[in-house]
């Protein structure tokens, strides 16, 4: 019984990861669902937030208490969740930078 529960939990976790790896446009991104957005850095807002742009629009991306790893015009992919407060903001969990460099971010969301 315990093995079945563990297998189910792992399978559910992997399914959520697989869904998050499909690229979604900013305009179509749902709230409170793991998603992946791809675009370019439009501007740096402050030490922990930048604006991501794709052809459908822009969205602020919060990276938590981390040093800013991106620069303006950098092409990146971001995985995280969008809150339903206005304005919408993506709370990032992971960034994929040029050269497929992956950075884990997030944490301490206030």
């Amino acid at each position: 019984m315990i093995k079945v529960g563990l297998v189910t939990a792992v399978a559910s976790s992997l399914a959520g990861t697989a869904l998050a790896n499909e690229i979604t446009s900013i305009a179509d991104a749902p709230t409170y669902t793991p998603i992946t957005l791809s675009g370019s850095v439009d501007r740096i807002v402050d030490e922990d937030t930048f604006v991501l742009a794709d052809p459908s629009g822009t969205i602020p991306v919060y990276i938590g208490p981390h040093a800013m790893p991106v620069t303006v015009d950098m092409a990146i992919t971001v995985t995280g969740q969008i809150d339903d407060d206005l304005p919408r903001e993506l709370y990032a969990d992971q960034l994929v930078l040029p050269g497929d460099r992956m950075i884990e971010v997030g944490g301490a969301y206030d």
Side-chain angles (χ1 to χ4, degrees):
M1 239 0 161
I2 293 173
K3 288 182 182 178
V4 171
L6 179 60
V7 169
T8 301
V10 169
S12 295
S13 174
L14 291 175
T17 302
L19 289 175
N21 289 331
E22 296 177 17
I23 305 296
T24 304
S25 70
I26 291 170
D28 295 330
T31 57
Y32 295 116
T33 302
I35 59 162
T36 299
L37 303 177
S38 189
S40 63
V41 177
D42 184 58
R43 68 185 180 278
I44 308 294
V45 177
D46 58 30
E47 70 275 355
D48 57 12
T49 305
F50 63 90
V51 176
L52 182 70
D54 75 6
S56 73
T58 62
I59 190 165
V61 177
Y62 177 71
I63 63 169
H66 301 279
M68 185 59 63
V70 300
T71 58
V72 173
D73 295 329
M74 181 182 282
I76 65 168
T77 300
V78 182
T79 301
Q81 291 187 21
I82 296 176
D83 65 12
D84 65 354
D85 293 335
L86 293 177
R88 292 178 357 137
E89 181 175 36
L90 176 67
Y91 289 86
D93 295 320
Q94 183 181 73
L95 306 176
V96 180
L97 307 179
D100 292 329
R101 188 173 132 218
M102 295 174 70
I103 299 175
E104 298 294 324
V105 294
Y109 296 123
D110 294 328

